[in-house]
Amino acid sequence: MQKVITETKKAFMTGNETAAWAALVSGADVMFGYPITPQNEIMHYWTRLAPRYERSFLQTEDEISAGFTVCGAVQSGKKAFTATAGPGNVLMQEPFGMAEGMRLPLVAVIQQRGGPSSGTVVYSQQEVTLTTFGGNGEGHRIVYSTATHQEIYDYIIKGFNTAWKYRFPTFILGDGYQAKMREPLEMYDPGDRGIKMVDTYPLVGVEGSIAASQRDPQHLCNIYSLEEELYEIVMKYSAEFEAISPEVVEYEEKECDDAEIIVVSHGVVSRAADDAVKVLRAQGIKVGYFRPITLRPYPENQLREAIAKSGAKKLLVAESAYGQLYRLTRQEIYGETVNIETLFMPGVGIIDYDIINKVKSII
């Protein structure tokens, strides 16, 4: 396959353009998608780039079809992906749930927009619950929440490797601000950074005979007629997901050693939280910063450790939603006695000033 980036380059582009380039350097063969703001340009940029590098694209009749065609393509051994947002994310939960149940290495970029229903076409962090635990499954998914364009690039590359290594559907969770705004990043070929891309392989039409004991059968079932069958497979997948979680989980922590209040945020809001903590520290206020990068699996043990070592009296969960990160955090650290304060601004960008004022009102 033709090398896309021959040397590290500085670039200044939108998050959607970044996503298309990242999929390209990851070796993605094909994108399936359906237009919805604010992810449209991922499709647009991909269709411009793909022919130059002998890659493919198909616009399906709707988001449900886009999700299922990715499921089909990865079973044939293709490195396939999709991108969506808002109502499209809702519609794709059926194929995403099937990818969970069949252990398919599906990759999806989610550029969150506001709800309920069609909501706004701009921005929110209101797709956390949907992306982490959507569908009629148990949330056997890996969800990376990005904060910068550099992370969009880095985690799409990592996302393809994670999906194919562990065979759980993998999501890169961005938002409308990241999708549309421009900022600098470094573009690179994964191999030049020592990143080996995980090889893909077909899940159907596999060589060898089951009858002749040349290989084990492929378990690609997505429906179970007996309750006991479903029970066994869910328990098996749950155990496997929990086993890999320590390898997959990622987080960022700053100034938590002596923090009296720890600000918990994710995605683009964590940029404001980082700035707010710096300002508050300069004013002598002992505040820490904790950011889950993987929302699923959640860095539960790491947050518990941050609380324990600091003796923090309070957490402040800041998010551009009405409690989706809060509920996720609360369930993951159940049993902790630390008080949790909240800053909910659904569909509105949070800046450092908002967090600074909230922290001072708590003290």
Side-chain angles (χ1 to χ4, degrees):
M1 186 174 285
Q2 181 183 352
K3 196 170 183 178
V4 177
I5 303 292
T6 55
E7 60 183 11
T8 299
K9 297 179 179 179
K10 296 282 188 180
F12 186 71
M13 58 178 63
T14 67
N16 283 338
E17 189 174 5
T18 300
W21 276 103
L24 202 62
V25 301
S26 299
D29 296 301
V30 57
M31 178 185 183
F32 299 96
Y34 187 81
I36 190 166
T37 303
Q39 74 78 28
N40 281 340
E41 291 84 7
I42 298 178
M43 296 169 52
H44 297 166
Y45 289 123
W46 179 262
T47 55
R48 293 178 191 174
L49 294 168
R52 289 161 48 187
Y53 298 95
E54 299 181 341
R55 316 295 172 86
S56 302
F57 172 77
L58 177 65
Q59 180 177 316
T60 57
E61 64 265 36
D62 54 34
E63 287 91 351
I64 298 174
S65 301
F68 279 123
T69 46
V70 175
C71 290
V74 296
Q75 289 179 70
S76 72
K78 295 291 186 182
K79 187 177 285 188
F81 76 105
T82 189
T84 192
N89 194 5
V90 174
L91 291 171
M92 285 196 189
Q93 289 309 313
E94 186 176 358
F96 291 166
M98 190 176 87
E100 272 191 59
M102 296 176 70
R103 293 290 296 273
L104 301 179
L106 174 147
V107 173
V109 181
I110 311 296
Q111 299 286 35
Q112 297 171 92
R113 60 187 272 180
S117 188
S118 295
T120 75
V121 298
V122 185
Y123 161 77
S124 82
Q125 292 186 316
Q126 292 174 275
E127 296 181 49
V128 168
T129 303
L130 182 64
T131 307
T132 53
F133 285 99
N136 59 333
E138 300 296 337
H140 296 145
R141 306 156 170 223
I142 294 161
V143 181
Y144 295 109
S145 176
T146 60
T148 66
H149 288 20
Q150 189 65 61
E151 288 189 352
I152 291 174
Y153 194 88
D154 297 343
Y155 280 102
I156 286 177
I157 294 170
K158 178 174 280 190
F160 278 107
N161 272 353
T162 299
W164 282 93
K165 179 178 180 180
Y166 297 110
R167 289 271 301 273
F168 285 108
T170 300
F171 301 82
I172 292 79
L173 186 66
D175 60 65
Y177 284 166
Q178 293 179 61
K180 300 295 186 180
M181 71 182 182
R182 293 182 180 274
E183 69 178 21
L185 72 144
E186 280 192 350
M187 299 169 63
Y188 56 86
D189 181 87
D192 294 340
R193 297 281 176 98
I195 301 170
K196 185 181 184 307
M197 299 308 297
V198 175
D199 292 333
T200 65
Y201 50 90
L203 309 181
V204 294
V206 181
E207 293 183 2
S209 168
I210 299 170
S213 301
Q214 294 170 333
R215 65 174 177 88
D216 292 330
Q218 293 289 88
H219 186 93
L220 296 171
C221 186
N222 70 335
I223 190 167
Y224 299 89
S225 301
L226 299 176
E227 294 173 352
E228 292 79 8
E229 283 184 299
L230 181 58
Y231 170 79
E232 287 178 9
I233 201 68
V234 170
M235 295 303 287
K236 177 179 183 291
Y237 289 172
S238 295
E240 292 173 355
F241 187 86
E242 289 166 11
I244 69 159
S245 290
E247 301 173 29
V248 174
V249 74
E250 293 191 38
Y251 70 103
E252 188 177 30
E253 176 189 327
K254 299 178 183 178
E255 304 285 3
C256 285
D257 288 348
D258 63 345
E260 295 176 359
I261 298 174
I262 298 175
V263 180
V264 180
S265 60
H266 78 100
V268 76
V269 174
S270 63
R271 294 162 68 145
D274 192 13
D275 289 341
V277 167
K278 290 173 184 173
V279 171
L280 289 163
R281 280 278 173 176
Q283 296 174 3
I285 300 171
K286 294 181 178 179
V287 181
Y289 163 99
F290 188 92
R291 173 197 168 203
I293 295 175
T294 49
L295 297 182
R296 184 81 176 128
Y298 192 94
E300 165 203 349
N301 293 330
Q302 292 81 0
L303 181 53
R304 289 184 189 272
E305 289 167 9
I307 295 167
K309 72 182 177 184
S310 65
K313 298 178 176 65
K314 292 184 178 181
L315 301 183
L316 170 61
V317 176
E319 59 179 306
S320 294
Y322 200 81
Q324 296 193 25
L325 178 64
Y326 163 72
R327 288 190 293 274
L328 185 59
T329 302
R330 186 179 61 180
Q331 76 179 27
E332 293 289 346
I333 62 166
Y334 179 77
E336 294 289 340
T337 57
V338 63
N339 291 328
I340 303 179
E341 301 280 348
T342 59
L343 175 60
F344 298 159
M345 296 176 64
V348 178
I350 295 177
I351 61 174
D352 55 358
Y353 178 82
D354 300 315
I355 296 172
I356 291 166
N357 280 352
K358 183 65 178 182
V359 168
K360 289 183 176 181
S361 74
I362 291 169
I363 296 173

